């Protein structure tokens, strides 16, 4: 029955997208055949009020009707322009994660269940909610810290959000499997794998202990960084469903007029923000991946405080070197080196020609060097670069797409503060410093040390590897002589799976037919 419910939820979601005009706002003129007929059908049934609004507004209305889990779906797809396209990804990135607050009593119940203590023991005072998002809401509270009454922010998970998300997740997997089955052209995008990634990231985001750990890690990394910090965490009042943080008194970076009135240097704030992000990315390989202006505060002394670390990104050493070298290569117009880095990192298959790839990269770089430096977008450069690499069979790199999405947001915030912001001039000190430290003599010594460590580890595992190799050789010899066989249990499981797929396929057709009839009857 859960599969039938998933079909109903999927049909309902599709109907809401049609009625709110989201489907009709897509570029259907470029479609043909059945998809174009479906697009025309969607235009007929869209609400009239949708015609005068842009696509972002339509998506916002649809998501509001569909619920919190679809907000997270939209935010996640905004990080995958390779799946939804760059324009739709930009629309999704503008989704406002603002929901209605839920009663204080439900927050109190969640806190007491998570921490095992009454609210009066945990806090001197616990206030009404001041903000709510799709997964959690925030309350002001007061505790005793270092002998003083201290204000804190208490983030509490939304009741029932896990159950609702996992119900909708079943529909997402269903849609992904149907897409892979009936739209072969989209199989290269691996929709089921994309949905599995969404499930994993949201599970992590719904455990507030992990957000607290991210705050703690970023705080350690940025302890000596000028002009940037994150709130401290009260671990004694933090659990799976609640995290207690320092209350930040500052001006939201989205309120540019108020920042200007307070006397802040907007150009300096823009430079600090971008350099901090690049420093976290290149130096630490760990960055805040949701740095929109609503999550950034500016304190009276000009320090930027970042909150809400539910979404973070990580880059390995290879990815950091890749990023630094391609940026530096574009700055120096060394397109051959940029191409070589792609091949050295293993991102582009070896059967392609390095010089042909360098020619494609030159087509991106040369027009940029003909523009004023302040008009060049580093995020746009990475976007064009990823478009070109698709022509050379570069596989999707989710970690680089997350980086690109975050860089788009950070660069956009910087240009809001300073319309003439020079991204390259601001980035050069951080990128150049990392290049000198990691690709110069010091970097060579570090790589040598890592290599010695890897060889030592391999030597320690040599006896076990030899035993595994011998066992594998015997098994291969046995299969070569007797063939590959499935046991009876595996054969029966395959048969049951095939029968179930056929049965549920027929049920799905009836469910969809009934849903269409009901919707048509309501319209009449």
């Amino acid at each position: 029955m859960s599969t039938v419910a998933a079909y109903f939820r999927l049909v309902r979601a599709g109907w809401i997208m049609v009625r709110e005009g989201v489907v009709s706002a897509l570029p259907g003129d470029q479609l043909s055949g059945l998809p174009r007929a479906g697009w025309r059908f969607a235009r007929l049934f869209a609400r009239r009020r949708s015609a005068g609004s842009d696509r972002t507004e339509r998506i916002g209305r649809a998501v509001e009707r569909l619920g919190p889990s679809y907000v997270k779906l939209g935010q996640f797809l905004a990080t995958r322009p390779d799946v939804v396209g760059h324009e739709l990804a930009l629309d999704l990135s503008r989704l406002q994660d603002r929901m209605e607050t839920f009663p204080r009593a439900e927050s109190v119940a969640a806190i007491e269940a998570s921490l095992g203590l009454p609210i009066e023991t945990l806090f001197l005072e616990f206030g009404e909610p001041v903000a709510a998002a799709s997964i959690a809401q925030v309350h002001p509270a007061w505790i005793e810290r270092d002998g003083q009454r201290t204000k804190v922010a208490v983030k509490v998970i939304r009741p029932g959000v896990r159950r609702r998300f996992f119900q909708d997740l079943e529909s997402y997997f269903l849609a992904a499997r149907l897409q892979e089955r009936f739209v072969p052209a989209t199989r290269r995008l691996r929709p089921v794998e994309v949905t599995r990634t969404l499930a994993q990231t949201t599970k992590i985001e719904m455990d507030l202990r992990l957000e607290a750990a991210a705050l703690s890690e970023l705080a350690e990394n940025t302890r000596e960084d000028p002009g940037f910090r994150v709130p401290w965490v009260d671990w004694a009042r933090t659990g799976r469903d609640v995290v207690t943080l320092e209350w930040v008194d500052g001006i939201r970076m989205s309120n540019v007029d108020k920042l200007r009135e307070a006397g802040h240097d907007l150009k300096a704030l823009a430079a600090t923000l971008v350099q901090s992000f690049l420093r976290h990315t290149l130096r630490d390989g760990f960055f805040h991946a949701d740095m929109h202006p609503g999550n950034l505060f500016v304190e009276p002394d000009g320090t930027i405080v970042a909150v809400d670390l539910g979404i973070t990104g990580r880059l390995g050493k290879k990815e950091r070197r890749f990023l630094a070298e391609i940026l530096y290569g574009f700055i120096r117009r060394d397109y051959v080196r940029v191409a070589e880095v792609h091949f050295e990192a293993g991102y582009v298959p070896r059967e392609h020609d390095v010089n042909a790839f360098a020619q494609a990269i030159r087509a991106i770089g040369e027009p940029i060097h003909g523009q004023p430096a302040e008009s060049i977008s580093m995020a746009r450069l990475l976007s064009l670069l990823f478009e070109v690499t698709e022509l050379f069979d570069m596989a999707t790199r989710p970690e680089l797409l997350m980086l690109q999405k975050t860089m788009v947001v950070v660069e956009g915030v910087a240009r809001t503060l300073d319309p003439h912001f020079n991204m390259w001039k601001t980035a050069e000190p951080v990128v150049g410093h990392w290049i000198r430290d990691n690709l110069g003599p010091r970097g060579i010594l570090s790589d040598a040390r890592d290599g010695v460590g890897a060889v030592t580890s391999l030597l320690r595992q040599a006896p076990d590897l030899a035993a595994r190799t011998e066992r594998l050789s015997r098994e291969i010899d046995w299969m070569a002589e007797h063939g590959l066989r499935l046991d009876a249990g595996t054969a029966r499981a395959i048969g049951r799976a095939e029968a179930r797929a056929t049965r549920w396929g027929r049920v799905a057709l009836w469910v969809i037919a009934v849903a269409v009839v009901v919707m048509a009857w309501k319209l009449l």
Side-chain angles (χ1 to χ4, degrees), residues 361-378:
I361 291 174
R362 181 180 292 274
I364 299 172
E366 285 305 300
I368 287 176
H369 282 284
Q371 300 177 26
E374 62 269 16
S375 68
I376 300 173
S377 167
M378 186 182 294

Side-chain angles (χ1 to χ4, degrees), residues 22 26 55 59 74 77-78 84-93:
V22 176
L26 297 173
R55 190 166 61 191
I59 293 173
L77 291 178
V84 299
H86 290 280
E87 291 186 7
L88 185 55
L90 183 60
D91 289 334
L92 291 171
S93 69

Side-chain angles (χ1 to χ4, degrees), residues 476-517:
I476 291 174
D477 289 340
W478 188 91
M479 284 190 291
E481 182 177 352
H482 300 92
L484 180 63
R485 295 183 179 180
L486 299 176
D487 60 53
T490 302
R492 284 194 299 270
I494 292 173
R496 286 196 300 269
E498 289 293 330
R500 186 164 53 249
T502 303
R503 183 171 63 252
W504 283 118
R506 291 195 296 269
V507 171
L509 291 175
W510 278 106
V511 169
I512 293 172
V514 171
V516 170
V517 170

Side-chain angles (χ1 to χ4, degrees), residues 167-445:
Q167 286 177 345
D168 287 334
L169 187 63
E170 187 179 9
S171 300
Y172 302 161
F173 273 111
L174 175 62
R177 287 193 292 269
L178 291 173
Q179 184 179 352
E180 284 196 352
R181 183 174 181 180
F182 295 110
V183 190
T186 63
R187 288 174 187 166
R188 67 178 183 84
L189 300 175
R190 298 181 294 179
V192 173
E193 188 64 30
V194 169
T195 307
R196 192 171 290 115
T197 304
L198 167 65
Q200 180 61 25
T201 57
T202 308
K203 284 178 185 177
I204 293 173
E205 194 173 353
M206 286 183 183
D207 190 334
L208 298 184
R209 293 170 297 190
L210 300 181
E211 180 177 346
L215 282 164
S216 176
E217 182 177 352
L218 193 59
E220 289 183 5
N221 292 343
T222 61
R223 186 180 292 115
E224 304 297 329
D225 289 0
F228 183 93
R229 72 180 189 89
V230 294
W232 47 260
V233 177
D234 183 353
W235 284 100
R237 296 172 179 83
T238 292
R240 188 184 72 148
D241 295 339
V242 55
V243 57
T244 303
L245 315 167
E246 171 191 3
W247 183 273
V248 178
D249 283 316
I251 303 171
R252 285 188 187 273
M253 199 167 273
S254 55
N255 196 337
V256 178
D257 291 337
K258 199 169 182 181
L259 289 172
R260 189 179 291 109
E261 291 172 5
H264 291 291
D265 185 341
L266 300 187
K267 292 184 178 180
L269 286 176
T272 299
L273 177 65
V274 169
Q275 288 183 347
S276 296
F277 168 70
L278 290 173
R279 197 175 289 118
H280 305 161
T281 303
L282 293 174
R283 181 192 64 195
D284 309 320
F286 179 66
F287 58 92
H288 191 320
D290 196 19
M291 293 182 74
H292 64 75
N295 283 342
L296 300 168
F297 292 83
V298 180
E299 294 182 311
D301 65 352
T303 299
I304 298 173
V305 184
V307 301
D308 195 359
L309 257 74
I311 304 175
T312 58
R314 291 188 183 274
L315 291 180
K317 191 170 184 180
K318 183 175 74 171
E319 287 76 23
R320 283 182 271 165
R321 176 173 295 180
F322 166 77
L323 174 64
E325 287 218 62
I326 65 168
L327 293 178
Y328 207 62
F330 273 108
I331 291 173
R332 297 188 304 161
R333 302 173 73 175
D334 189 350
Y335 305 119
V336 173
R337 180 56 192 154
V338 174
E340 289 173 348
V341 169
H342 281 77
F343 281 79
E344 290 171 5
Y347 292 154
V348 177
R350 290 286 178 182
E351 61 264 22
H352 290 288
D353 180 56
V354 174
N355 293 320
F357 189 48
Q359 179 183 354
I361 291 174
R362 181 180 292 274
I364 299 172
E366 285 305 300
I368 287 176
H369 282 284
Q371 300 177 26
E374 62 269 16
S375 68
I376 300 173
S377 167
M378 186 182 294
R380 178 61 179 162
L381 168 66
L382 290 179
S383 175
L384 291 172
L385 181 63
F386 294 154
E387 287 180 12
V388 167
T389 53
E390 288 180 9
L391 300 176
F392 290 83
D393 302 319
M394 176 173 164
T396 297
R397 308 291 305 185
E399 69 279 7
L400 297 180
L401 291 170
M402 177 73 79
L403 169 71
Q404 178 199 349
K405 173 256 183 184
T406 310
M407 190 172 287
V408 168
V409 175
V410 171
E411 190 173 5
V413 175
R415 292 192 189 280
T416 302
L417 296 171
D418 178 12
H420 302 291
F421 180 72
N422 187 327
M423 186 69 178
W424 297 99
K425 183 178 180 181
T426 305
E428 200 281 330
V430 178
V431 177
H433 183 269
W434 193 91
I435 289 282
R436 287 189 294 272
D437 281 355
N438 291 272
L439 302 183
R442 188 183 302 177
I444 294 173
L445 289 175

Side-chain angles (χ1 to χ4, degrees), residues 142-159:
W142 285 261
I143 63 172
E144 184 174 337
R145 188 171 188 262
D146 298 331
Q148 295 184 341
R149 180 183 169 92
T150 304
K151 189 176 183 180
V152 292
V154 184
K155 187 174 180 179
V156 188
I157 204 79
R158 183 176 288 274

